[in-house]
Amino acid sequence: TDDNLNFITYMLYAERIWNEDAQVESNNQYPLPMPDTVAGRISVSVTDEVSNAFPCASVRIASVESSAEVQLFTGSDGKLAVFPNLDDIGEGPWSLTATTPDGQITSDTINDITSDSPVEIIIPAVPVLPNAMDLAIVLDTTGSMCDEIEFLKSELRNVIRSFIDAIDRTIDLKIGIVFYKDTTDEYTTLVEDFTDTDSALDALASQTCNGGGDYPEAVHDAWQQATNLTWREDNVARVAFLIGDAPPHREDIDEAFAAALSLRKKGVRLYGLAASDTNDVLEYLLRMVALISHGRHMWLTNDSGIGNSKTDAKVACFQVTDLEKLLSRVLLGEMDGVRIEPDPDDVVREVGSQNGGICLIDLNDPESALKPSENGFAAGGGDIAGGDAGAEYAVGFPGPVIDEEIGKPASPTPAPTPLPPLALCFPGDSVVDVLGIGHVPLRDLKLGDLVNVGGDKYSEVYSFGHHDPHAKAEYIHLFHSNNSNTRLKISKDHMVFVQEKHSQAALRAMPASLVTVGDRIRMGSTGQLVTVTKIIVSSGIGAFAPFTLTGSIVVDHVMVSNYVSLQQNSGTFLIGGTKTPISMQFLAHAFQAHHRILCHFAWDYCKDEAYNENGVSTWVSSPLALFEYVLSCHWMWMALAAPIIISLALCLHVVEWVIMNWWLAVPLYLSTTLLFHGLGIRKQQRQIL
């Protein structure tokens, strides 16, 4: 599970476990790290000037009022999290600066940052995905880990091979391993520093499982040894798998946590993998260190048949898939800067409800996500070693992903807004070309701005179908042949113009979820057709759907529609599964005609646009609800309603054209009238003759 994606329920979980642990008097001498340690999280995203993630950037955040500061590193996804209490940087406000991995180019400084707020900072340089990875495996080799160790011996080579085969470039992979037992065993730690794959696997093959005895192990020593590995700097992906089934001794908890902090400051993403018989203390520590380093928590489930009995982690939803494939996906995601969801056919079982990785909870009772269920808890995360809930989708098929659970965080951060059933929008960091200004993030676009709608044409933004800067949503990323590092970010139901398969010229609007690799889309300013080369689905902050007078807009340099398909698997109007010749683009644009006419003649009425609780414009919500009702009816009722809907759309289209083009409509009307009048006179003359 990715607790950064489900932060509110994570905080509820942490507070409950910490309070339960503190009720045992003997634990209070060596308490767990307090939940307040990670309160007030500041989510940082580092990008280039066109919103591409900046891997392995150095980020400095400093107090404006004191000398306190901390330096951290983004992963390949350009993200990191700052925790004011944990990082000891005072109460704020803070300033933030980001620098390229080679230290050559630095961003402008952003000031007045406050806690509980997302921040995006731009480096004026071209990001490059890393071509190297340092992978550390920190492995408990005591007697209770025999099955897990044998599994790694037999399958780790396949994990690495699958990962390497999936990468689209040559990479330099180094693997280091820290083996550990307890202080009374034949060794406490045994270290194999970063080396090639074969040497690391040979070191793993030489290990046997034995020792341990009492439950806790020398976890703190192992994590400290991991910090002493020769981690490379600059543009290198850095990952550590922390694999074990027992916590540190109580008196060593602080040392273990301090070692994890040191790894985080080196830019290492920490992934916990809890094995058999894990208790609450180990889960609490593994989840917290994964949270602070922007990693994820994983665990073995009883589905695996590996090791002893296991308990699912206390999260609100999970999917169980194959451990080998999970680890390979994690490594690939850390190299390419995306989280990769399992193929649906690989999911063995799923517990709880989710919307694209967001564990869905009762807004009036968020604690319900942590209440016991028939599975022990209504939560978990498993992959036959798990943790796929909250993961991002990638590689070629559209699927849901959101970057935050639906819940109510503490003030002052606005509550993340759940999207309506149809996703209507683009994220706030997508860019549009505004006349006289240049490229502007959608979150800064305003009503009345003139935006590029294709070629050298600009049109006024008269409305936002959706406008919610705080929404957390799933967005499909369409990479294309024009530039391998740029992508169009678009919600799955939103329509993009795609070249017809049978035509070299015709374009049709279709939902982004139907776009496949190899399809051709149009670049906005040049009109060039480019090929879609890769598709992923990732999270985004903000939901914006600007409407223009033309019904199209150029977003992220690609020409797209203003609208969504109201039937999620088609760009045309369907009746009982049968296509009609009427496009969704035409229907959506026609039924906003009255809105455009009003805004043309009474702009003051439109400039103060109102939005409902989901951020959807009141101009859109009513027609949307009507169409959703009609489309939910039996096909025979739809067939009866279709002529009325189509006729009304045609009438609105004609009326709008007449009103908006009156200087053409009036002469056309007069000439037509005179023509028919003349024909009438001639007919009367012939009758007289």
Side-chain angles (χ1 to χ4, degrees), residues 23 34 37 84 111-112 115 120 127 150-151 163 169 179-181 200 226 287-288 348 384 430 432 439 553 661 663:
Q23 289 176 5
M34 295 183 66
T37 302
N111 295 306
D112 299 325
S115 60
E120 179 178 331
E150 290 306 311
F151 175 85
F163 160 54
R169 58 195 184 279
F179 305 103
Y180 71 95
K181 297 181 184 292
R287 288 179 66 176
M288 184 171 280
V348 176
I384 299 191
S430 283
V432 292
H439 289 109
I553 187 171
N661 301 280
W663 60 91

Side-chain angles (χ1 to χ4, degrees), residues 422 465 547 566 587-595 612 616-631 645 648 652:
L422 288 170
F547 285 3
L566 300 177
L587 286 177
H589 194 62
F591 277 96
Q592 283 295 305
H594 62 297
H595 189 185
N612 67 15
V616 178
S617 168
T618 52
W619 285 99
V620 173
S621 57
S622 296
L624 180 63
L626 174 62
F627 271 98
E628 287 182 325
Y629 172 75
V630 171
L631 296 174
I645 292 172
L648 181 57
L652 287 169

Side-chain angles (χ1 to χ4, degrees), residues 49-51 426-447 449-454 457-459 461 464 487-489 524-525 544-548 552-562:
E49 293 172 306
V50 290
S51 301
F426 307 92
D429 59 0
S430 283
V431 294
V432 292
D433 180 13
V434 178
L435 185 64
I437 298 177
H439 289 109
V440 172
L442 274 174
R443 59 174 169 269
D444 296 332
L445 188 67
K446 298 178 177 61
L447 291 173
D449 283 346
L450 294 172
V451 296
N452 187 254
V453 294
K457 296 179 181 178
Y458 288 79
S459 179
V461 176
F464 283 92
R487 81 288 298 269
L488 166 67
K489 290 164 282 188
S525 58
F544 301 89
F547 285 3
T548 65
S552 64
I553 187 171
V554 176
V555 176
D556 293 330
H557 311 287
V558 175
M559 186 174 173
V560 298
S561 170
N562 288 172

Side-chain angles (χ1 to χ4, degrees), residues 23-40:
Q23 289 176 5
V24 179
E25 187 174 348
S26 59
N27 292 342
N28 293 330
Q29 184 178 358
Y30 304 106
L32 295 172
M34 295 183 66
D36 285 350
T37 302
V38 295

Side-chain angles (χ1 to χ4, degrees), residues 264-322:
R264 171 176 174 258
K265 288 185 177 180
K266 293 176 180 286
V268 182
R269 293 277 178 95
L270 303 176
Y271 284 78
L273 177 52
S276 309
D277 301 322
T278 301
N279 72 354
D280 285 342
V281 172
L282 181 60
E283 179 186 338
Y284 185 93
L285 287 174
L286 289 179
R287 288 179 66 176
M288 184 171 280
V289 301
L291 174 84
I292 64 176
S293 66
H294 244 272
R296 280 189 287 166
H297 179 58
M298 309 174 291
W299 63 96
L300 293 175
T301 72
N302 285 320
D303 305 84
S304 65
I306 300 172
N308 300 321
S309 178
K310 304 162 190 71
T311 302
D312 288 331
K314 299 171 180 63
V315 296
C317 60
F318 70 87
Q319 294 173 319
V320 177
T321 61
D322 179 72

